[in-house]
Amino acid sequence: MKLIGSLASPFVRKVRVVLAEKKLDYEFVLEDVWSPATTISASNPLGKVPCLVMEDGGAMFDSRVIVEYLDTMSPVGKLIPSGGRERASVKVWEALADGVAEAGILARLERTQRPAERQSDAWVQRQLGKVSNGMKSMAQALGENPFCAGRQFSLADVAVGSALGWISFRFPEIDWRGEHENLARLFDKLSDRQSFRDTVPVA
Ligand SMILES: N[C@@H](CCC(=O)N[C@@H](CS)C(=O)NCC(=O)O)C(=O)O
């Protein structure tokens, strides 16, 4: 199978970490979705990465669907509990982490993709407020637990690590490490894993 993605996207990173943790083989195809020459819409009509292209040519998106599928492909390193509250909890963590990254992306796009005179500072602040609230909520829910969803490494940690890594990469001025020491400890622990080391965001 083939993963179409970029080296900066937190959603692509989430999928790459899952592939590595589950020891699944794949070809990584880099795509610049912002280039006029991009062919991403041939695989994903929404024009976004990540997109997984399977052996039969079928394409799958978005990252939440892809990681759920990948977790069923091998019993190695199960990342999503099979049902009940445990499963829902991991999925809520993922939604929260993805939401933080999405809000950060919207704030950044406002600053990087629109002419200065048409940028809305109110919009940027609204999105950055979601980033800040989202991280506060993560820190509260994590408390002194070793991992996000209980005692075991799961997709919740993959999603949180990918989102926090992206925020540090694109918004180094946001001092989330100083505000939330428990999140910083978790992030440092996750960053030691080979799957995270191999996927540090690159511009
Ligand atoms: N909800 C999607 C979000 C994917 C996404 O926003 N990807 C960005 C890169 S970080 C993208 O491809 N953006 C291109 C665009 O919005 O046109 C997922 O989880 O896969």
Side-chain angles (χ1 to χ4, degrees), residues 6 8-12 14 33-34 46-50 61-64 66 98 102 105 109 166:
S6 71
S9 164
F11 310 109
V12 174
K14 185 176 65 169
V33 293
W34 299 104
L46 303 175
K48 295 185 179 193
V49 289
F61 45 86
D62 61 5
S63 67
R64 290 189 216 176
I66 298 172
D98 283 8
E102 270 159 18
I105 288 168
L109 290 181
W166 186 85

Side-chain angles (χ1 to χ4, degrees), residues 21 79 89-90 93 138-161 182-183 185-193 196:
E21 293 286 344
L79 292 170
S89 165
V90 167
W93 270 104
M138 285 178 189
Q140 277 168 356
L142 177 63
E144 294 307 313
N145 293 325
F147 292 107
C148 294
R151 306 205 62 77
Q152 216 177 318
F153 176 74
S154 75
L155 177 64
D157 304 289
V158 178
V160 167
N182 61 343
L183 276 189
R185 278 195 301 278
L186 174 75
F187 183 71
D188 290 344
K189 187 166 65 176
L190 297 175
S191 300
D192 267 349
R193 297 177 83 93
F196 275 86

